[in-house]
Amino acid sequence: MLPTGDAAWYSCRRPEMKMIFIFNIASAAPGIDADVPDVTDDPDEIVVTGTRTPRRLGEAPVAVTVIDRAAIEASGSRDLAALLEQQPGIAVDRGLFGAALRLRGLEPVHTLVLVDGQRVVGRKDGTLDLSRLPVDSIERVEIVEGAASALYGSDALGGVVNIVTRRARSPRPRSAPAARPLRGDAALGLATGGERGGLRFDGGWHGAAPWDATPADPATTGNALEQLDGALRADWRPTPDLTLGARGAWTGTDARGVDLATGGAVLDRRNLTEDALVRGDLAWLPDARSRLTAAVGASVFRDQYVADQRDAAPLDTYQETRETLTQLDAQLDRLAGPHRLTLGLEGDAGLLRSDRLDGGRGQRLTGAVYVQDEVRLAEHPRLVAVPGLRGDLDSWFGGALAPSLGLRLDPVRTLTLRGSAGSGWRAPSFRELLLSFDNAAAGYRVAGNPDLDPERSLSLTLGAEWTPAPAVSLSLSAHQDRLHDLVQIGTLDEAPGLVTYGYLNVAEARTRGLDLGTSLQPGPAVGLDASLTLLDADDLTADRPLEGRAPVRGTLALRLAAGADGPRLTARSMLVGPRPLYLDAGRVDAPPHALVDLRLEQPVSRGMRLSAGVDNLLGAGDPQLLPVPPRLVYAGLDLATGAPR
């Protein structure tokens, strides 16, 4: 919640808006104008993730990548994984446990994912499946790369992805039936409100048939999927200085597939997952130079896995996992001369129940205090420093400190230089601490290690952004991350007939890279974005490249529009170089590949638009080396209606 106040720091007047309709069928409640856009222009967009304080994007001392609502709708993406996988500098890997996010070449477990500042739970073997997070209720996504533990604590070694949900404005749902393979998407958004507050509901259904890259065997490559989701958000501003908010969301996913086990057994698999989130928050401006925020929330994740062996029972399996996280936080921001001071308190209580944990459950309590000072050291040229420090007290590991320092220099109006250094850390998961898995028939068992230490990192970043003309922007960023005490599975005991494996702090790794990007907007009818990422990621312990990281990756997006009422074409491509993979047969270099998506939109009348497109136009994919969905052709309708103000 970002209330407005008299101080320039908090003066967040509503900027000029823009909007693109895609695949929508909507009905606005009386008093809501369906044509009122809800996405801000980039220079004035308010972001919060980089410093945990509301700042205009163009003034933020920490680099923040923003995917706004217009970009979300123009992409046609159903879930967060599809939205992020073609973003510059971001890699999304699809595998056994879903779509995993990598920032700066680090592991998926090293990126913290938030919804309105609240942690998302439900990782499987370190992977948080982004495909289970629908985009229906997302206003924008804010991405901060580099160690951010000084503000956010555990898990933020590689960066933070914060999903900001939509407030009560005009609705933008989608209905997109498609084929090859059979797929359907439908969504509904309803909103009502006024100057003092509002209420918004977003819900959707998403379905897909299974797909198979190897039809010669009974196993499927991609799951049959059915997903239902709903989110309700209420905002109330009883006084100009006080804003209250409440949000609840639920997502249920039913994924079905067929697996082929060792020995030829066929397993019919079903995975039921449920995500629920509730959160209440307030923001209060006691005076023109202070801002107090507080929030309490809870996240719940339930996973049920069923495997049914055809014509037999020895491999039948049922596993259930339940995870809950309760989070309380409070933050005070204060203007004092050239300083913008931030002081925050945070407390988390986590609980995981699973038959595969020693004792069946794991519990963790964490308390933290953090402080940050954004100080303007000079005006001409503008120089801003952002030192920060966070201290965590964990019921498993004791204390942990994470310092950081950021600098921003604007030598001229068109050039921004940034540099940052920070320490990150990650507390080992309950799986790594308490896992108890016995497979004596295969001659091994896996045990957790309650004596593990947290993983730690040191992150360095240098960047430059140059805007020589309003229609041209260039960016360059270099980074290096050094990781210590990484957790890996090692051999604990080799008794005759039974080998015991366990988790140990034994690994060291380093990633370093260079990101180049450009954006050209010569006119309202043409837009071009391009990026190139060079990455060197090494496992220093094993003396080999880290698995799955491509040394070269590029993206290209072209937007063409034939006037305000003419067709709009969006073409997106992602080029990925060879990637090292370590299979049973040894190292294999996956060949380079290209993913190309095309999307065409045609306005029919005021508030109505037809859309059609092709995903994975070139049909890239390999069942083992690149398990991505095959070519998909789709079409849909976007319709928005509503009474005028």
Side-chain angles (χ1 to χ4, degrees):
M1 308 297 298
L2 304 178
T4 59
D6 296 331
W9 182 19
Y10 302 121
S11 181
C12 303
R13 65 176 179 80
R14 186 172 180 176
E16 188 173 336
M17 306 286 191
K18 62 183 178 183
M19 178 182 66
I20 301 176
F21 289 114
I22 292 97
F23 285 169
N24 295 344
I25 295 179
S27 178
I32 295 294
D33 185 350
D35 288 330
V36 174
D38 64 347
V39 179
T40 59
D41 291 327
D42 287 348
D44 292 327
E45 187 161 15
I46 303 301
V47 296
V48 296
T49 308
T51 59
R52 293 189 78 150
T53 58
R55 301 305 311 280
R56 298 189 188 281
L57 180 59
E59 299 175 357
V62 177
V64 182
T65 299
V66 177
I67 307 173
D68 62 19
R69 187 64 202 176
I72 294 172
E73 294 181 344
S75 72
S77 300
R78 179 187 66 83
D79 54 53
L80 187 63
L83 177 65
L84 293 180
E85 62 186 349
Q86 289 202 7
Q87 292 299 311
I90 297 176
V92 175
D93 295 338
R94 298 182 181 270
L96 178 63
F97 297 103
L101 174 66
R102 294 188 192 274
L103 290 182
R104 297 166 66 121
L106 302 185
E107 293 292 340
V109 74
H110 296 144
T111 297
L112 177 62
V113 180
L114 309 170
V115 174
D116 291 330
Q118 185 166 324
R119 290 171 176 260
V120 178
V121 299
R123 291 184 183 271
K124 297 181 185 179
D125 197 25
T127 294
L128 182 66
D129 183 11
L130 302 183
S131 65
R132 77 173 205 246
L133 301 176
V135 302
D136 302 326
S137 61
I138 297 178
E139 174 68 26
R140 67 183 185 275
V141 180
E142 299 180 3
I143 303 166
V144 176
E145 299 188 42
S149 292
L151 281 178
Y152 292 98
S154 178
D155 303 345
L157 283 74
V160 178
V161 174
N162 187 22
I163 300 166
V164 180
T165 60
R166 307 177 69 185
R167 299 186 185 182
R169 293 175 182 168
S170 54
R172 305 287 188 274
R174 279 192 312 280
S175 177
R180 301 188 53 161
L182 179 63
R183 169 180 153 181
D185 294 272
L188 174 67
L190 299 172
T192 186
E195 294 297 325
R196 301 287 293 274
L199 186 67
R200 180 181 187 88
F201 169 80
D202 289 283
W205 170 86
H206 314 284
W211 57 274
D212 194 0
T214 56
D217 61 51
T220 56
T221 305
N223 294 325
L225 180 70
E226 185 171 3
Q227 183 180 77
L228 290 172
D229 61 83
L232 184 65
R233 175 164 179 164
D235 299 300
W236 181 40
R237 195 174 182 184
T239 70
D241 298 327
L242 178 65
T243 303
L244 305 175
R247 180 175 185 266
W250 177 87
T251 301
T253 304
D254 185 356
R256 302 175 185 238
V258 180
D259 295 333
L260 195 61
T262 303
V266 178
L267 304 176
D268 293 305
R269 168 179 40 81
R270 187 178 186 185
N271 208 183
L272 298 171
T273 61
E274 295 174 277
D275 294 88
L277 179 150
V278 293
R279 182 175 176 87
D281 51 55
L282 67 86
W284 177 44
L285 301 178
D287 56 57
R289 305 182 69 81
S290 302
R291 180 176 184 265
L292 177 66
T293 58
V296 57
S299 301
V300 180
F301 173 76
R302 184 188 184 197
D303 178 85
Q304 298 179 83
Y305 173 86
V306 180
D308 181 16
Q309 184 179 358
R310 293 184 184 177
D311 304 321
L315 298 181
D316 287 357
T317 303
Y318 174 78
Q319 299 171 6
E320 182 178 8
T321 300
R322 294 173 180 260
E323 183 176 5
T324 61
L325 178 69
T326 303
Q327 180 176 322
L328 300 134
D329 55 76
Q331 181 174 306
L332 174 64
D333 301 315
R334 176 72 179 174
L335 282 170
H339 300 270
R340 293 183 171 123
L341 299 170
T342 297
L343 175 65
L345 301 172
E346 190 174 293
D348 298 338
L351 175 65
L352 179 68
R353 298 179 184 270
S354 173
D355 294 337
R356 289 198 170 187
L357 294 184
D358 187 13
R361 58 181 283 168
Q363 189 168 2
R364 169 183 286 140
L365 300 175
T366 303
V369 57
Y370 57 89
V371 60
Q372 177 182 263
D373 181 14
E374 181 185 332
V375 53
R376 184 165 296 192
L377 302 175
E379 289 291 342
H380 304 289
R382 181 186 183 194
L383 177 62
V384 178
V386 190
L389 177 67
R390 174 172 169 133
D392 284 80
L393 186 62
D394 189 282
S395 59
W396 279 86
F397 311 107
L401 290 176
S404 69
L405 175 63
L407 293 171
R408 171 174 173 163
L409 174 64
D410 294 72
V412 294
R413 184 180 58 84
T414 59
L415 179 63
T416 297
L417 305 177
R418 288 188 174 95
S420 65
S423 174
W425 70 285
R426 182 187 77 89
S429 66
F430 287 127
R431 172 190 175 93
E432 294 163 337
L433 295 167
L434 300 172
L435 179 66
S436 179
F437 176 70
D438 196 333
N439 192 355
Y444 74 93
R445 63 184 296 267
V446 183
N449 181 1
D451 296 324
L452 288 173
D453 293 323
E455 299 178 337
R456 297 187 180 274
S457 73
L458 178 62
S459 174
L460 302 173
T461 306
L462 295 174
E465 300 161 18
W466 183 39
T467 308
V472 181
S473 65
L474 303 169
S475 65
L476 173 66
S477 176
H479 65 82
Q480 175 168 298
D481 299 272
R482 185 70 179 255
L483 293 89
H484 306 276
D485 296 326
L486 295 180
V487 176
Q488 284 190 349
I489 288 183
T491 302
L492 300 182
D493 183 55
E494 294 190 62
L498 185 66
V499 179
T500 300
Y501 299 100
Y503 293 93
L504 301 169
N505 291 108
V506 296
E508 307 284 324
R510 180 193 62 210
T511 68
R512 50 192 178 187
L514 189 67
D515 295 319
L516 301 94
T518 182
S519 179
L520 306 176
Q521 187 77 38
V526 181
L528 177 68
D529 298 318
S531 74
L532 175 66
T533 297
L534 306 178
L535 179 67
D536 176 30
D538 297 305
D539 183 335
L540 301 179
T541 304
D543 192 23
R544 67 184 190 183
L546 288 171
E547 184 175 27
R549 278 72 158 180
V552 180
R553 184 176 184 270
T555 64
L556 183 67
L558 175 65
R559 302 175 300 277
L560 301 174
D565 298 323
R568 298 187 180 188
L569 174 67
T570 302
R572 303 175 186 270
S573 65
M574 177 175 61
L575 308 176
V576 181
R579 298 166 295 126
L581 302 175
Y582 303 106
L583 309 178
D584 293 339
R587 174 173 170 170
V588 175
D589 288 328
H593 65 273
L595 297 175
V596 179
D597 300 338
L598 297 178
R599 183 176 178 84
L600 181 66
E601 303 170 359
Q602 174 60 59
V604 177
S605 62
R606 185 176 182 269
M608 180 182 294
R609 188 183 303 273
L610 295 174
S611 302
V614 182
D615 288 348
N616 194 3
L617 176 66
L618 303 181
D622 180 274
Q624 188 175 29
L625 304 180
L626 186 64
V628 299
R631 183 183 299 111
L632 171 68
V633 180
Y634 62 90
L637 172 68
D638 168 20
L639 174 64
T641 62
R645 289 181 184 273

